[in-house]
Amino acid sequence: MSFQFTEEQLMIRSMVRDLSRSEFGPKAMERDKTKEFPAENLKKLGELGLMGMMVPPEYGGSGADTVSYVLALSEVAYACASTAVIMSVHNSIVCESILHYGAEDQKKRYLSRLATGEILGAFSLTEPNAGSDPARQSTKAVFDGDSYILNGRKRFTTTGKNAGLIIVTAKTDEKRGHRGISAFLVEQGTPGLTVGPLEDKMGLCASDTVDLIFEDCRIPAGNRLGNEGDGFLIAMTGLDGGRIGIAAQSVGVAQAAFDASVQYTQEREQFGQTISKFQGLRWMIADMATEIEAARLMTLSAAEMKDNGENYTLQASMAKLFASEMVNRITAKAVQIHGGYGFTKDYAVERFYRDARVFTIYEGTSEIQRVVISNHIFKDRRKPLQPPR
């Protein structure tokens, strides 16, 4: 299977490749050390229309397709995974959730500001006791007059400190389980919202991850996203798109690790020749290239299904599962190929290895993806098999 990209898609890929490799990549190692938020990178992406890629032009977006988004996001991840994860959550989950479920006034108030990068978006679902099982969340939203009062604590919120707008899920009806969860648009700085300290993470160090604490945080009723009880559906739909984003990031980081490995094998000499001559390493490189290509095609296939209006939940989970596990294998091999040098921070593969580790965890662990995939498989086979005649 091969993809025939349009001229516009190729132009977007080329533009983002030039930008990210010339401006994002050279500073990525330093940002990893200092944990400086990549505000400059995001501003440049916003100026190019890349922070609202799938938002229609009438709301300030680029109106691009998902395939273009995958190509762009992979190129950003190639240079700086921390910038890519912020871009991914912002585009895939926040902008698209408001586009599909927001009232017209919400779209006019927030989408144009998000699409241009004037403000960043965050998505807050996970809690201390509700990760893979979001229906267990305990954050509550109680209706009071013309407002909802939020109380609870959210964990591991990407861009939670720097976001101007956060989609927050909370229970509005305890008795209805996951059908009693609603979603809210919460502006940064709202009284009653406290941002916790930055998590000291293994990777993606320039991307802020924090707890959000809600203590009698009053949200206007007009900031409820969708209807009461739609929160779980909004979250799951957003995560479908988000999983394509994680797969795209995985492909970008894996490609960067692969390219670094190929270059290193052609420069490093042992036993009187470059190590690229050794069959063991050549086969390792061949396996890496094959896995990356498979993940890339799975990701593009899911993106194309989304663009065609097809149900892509299964393909998004498959792409996320395979690509996220692939990038962990690829970056581990890249460190191995670099030998002792790969274990030092002088070489980028050490950062790639750390950045990639979370890809099998966030926006649905690999185990959850297998649950989603197997549920789809057995759902399609509910009719009993007919006995042979």
Side-chain angles (χ1 to χ4, degrees):
M1 182 181 182
S2 62
F3 276 80
Q4 296 297 319
F5 298 120
T6 65
E7 186 175 332
E8 182 180 359
Q9 290 166 346
L10 292 173
M11 181 187 70
I12 290 172
R13 183 177 67 179
S14 177
M15 174 185 69
V16 180
R17 178 176 294 177
D18 290 344
L19 170 69
S20 61
R21 297 191 190 186
S22 64
E23 300 195 33
F24 300 172
K27 300 175 184 177
M29 291 287 282
E30 184 62 26
R31 288 189 188 280
D32 178 72
K33 294 176 184 177
T34 64
K35 301 181 182 179
E36 180 188 355
F37 188 75
E40 296 174 8
N41 295 356
L42 297 163
K43 181 181 178 182
K44 289 173 182 175
L45 291 172
E47 290 170 350
L48 292 172
L50 299 168
M51 296 302 284
M53 288 194 69
M54 294 165 289
V55 174
E58 57 263 35
Y59 299 115
S62 301
D65 56 21
T66 314
V67 170
S68 296
Y69 170 63
V70 163
L71 295 176
L73 185 57
S74 294
E75 289 298 336
V76 174
Y78 183 102
C80 179
S82 290
T83 301
V85 68
I86 300 164
M87 174 184 173
S88 180
V89 171
H90 178 96
N91 272 282
S92 299
I93 302 183
V94 179
C95 286
E96 288 222 80
S97 293
I98 297 173
L99 178 63
H100 296 309
Y101 292 97
E104 188 62 26
D105 69 300
Q106 292 173 340
K107 295 177 185 179
K108 290 178 178 177
R109 267 190 293 154
Y110 296 120
L111 266 188
S112 62
R113 298 175 66 198
L114 289 163
T116 59
E118 178 188 339
I119 59 171
L120 298 175
F123 174 68
S124 206
L125 173 69
T126 300
E127 296 186 5
N129 294 312
S132 295
D133 183 10
R136 286 195 63 198
Q137 64 185 278
S138 58
T139 298
K140 295 181 177 65
V142 178
F143 188 66
D144 180 53
D146 58 354
S147 306
Y148 286 87
I149 300 174
L150 269 63
N151 280 284
R153 188 184 192 101
K154 294 293 185 178
R155 292 235 70 192
F156 304 134
T157 303
T158 299
T159 326
K161 178 182 177 181
N162 289 280
L165 185 71
I166 308 148
I167 296 179
V168 180
T169 60
K171 282 190 173 179
T172 47
D173 189 341
E174 287 274 2
K175 299 176 183 177
R176 299 192 66 205
H178 71 274
R179 292 183 177 85
I181 296 172
S182 302
F184 300 90
L185 300 171
V186 182
E187 295 185 17
Q188 190 73 267
T190 300
L193 167 59
T194 303
V195 177
L198 294 174
E199 296 287 349
D200 190 8
K201 299 179 297 183
M202 176 181 181
L204 301 179
C205 295
S207 161
D208 69 278
T209 302
V210 297
D211 280 11
L212 296 178
I213 303 98
F214 299 90
E215 297 175 303
D216 293 332
C217 182
R218 187 174 288 273
I219 307 300
N223 274 35
R224 188 189 66 222
L225 184 61
N227 298 317
E228 270 203 12
D230 283 350
F232 189 82
L233 173 64
I234 291 170
M236 294 304 103
T237 304
L239 287 173
D240 279 348
R243 286 163 184 167
I244 294 177
I246 302 301
Q249 293 171 62
S250 298
V251 170
V253 173
Q255 188 67 54
F258 174 80
D259 288 351
S261 298
V262 171
Q263 181 178 346
Y264 183 80
T265 62
Q266 293 174 318
E267 295 171 352
R268 174 72 167 168
E269 292 188 5
Q270 292 288 279
F271 305 103
Q273 58 184 334
T274 62
I275 62 175
S276 64
K277 302 291 185 181
F278 300 142
Q279 186 180 66
L281 286 179
R282 293 174 75 90
W283 285 11
M284 192 183 294
I285 291 291
D287 287 342
M288 292 164 74
T290 302
E291 287 201 63
I292 294 169
E293 185 65 10
R296 191 191 325 275
L297 290 174
M298 289 181 73
T299 305
L300 289 168
S301 176
E304 188 174 64
M305 288 184 71
K306 182 172 180 287
D307 287 334
N308 291 338
E310 302 173 56
N311 187 321
Y312 64 96
T313 297
L314 174 62
Q315 285 69 25
S317 280
M318 286 180 167
K320 199 271 188 186
L321 171 63
F322 184 81
S324 65
E325 297 204 339
M326 172 277 298
V327 71
N328 276 275
R329 291 191 293 268
I330 297 303
T331 53
K333 288 178 179 178
V335 170
Q336 189 72 17
I337 287 170
H338 281 72
Y341 292 109
F343 199 62
T344 72
K345 294 184 183 293
D346 293 331
Y347 284 77
V349 291
E350 182 271 344
R351 172 170 54 87
F352 299 153
Y353 182 76
R354 289 185 291 106
D355 284 345
R357 188 60 193 88
V358 75
F359 291 176
T360 62
I361 298 173
Y362 63 7
E363 295 193 29
T365 63
S366 289
E367 291 70 31
I368 289 298
Q369 303 314 313
R370 290 183 172 98
V371 170
V372 172
I373 293 164
S374 59
N375 283 348
H376 272 75
I377 291 170
F378 288 106
K379 179 181 177 182
D380 292 339
R381 287 165 171 75
R382 282 180 179 170
K383 292 182 180 180
L385 295 173
Q386 298 297 319
R389 293 183 178 178

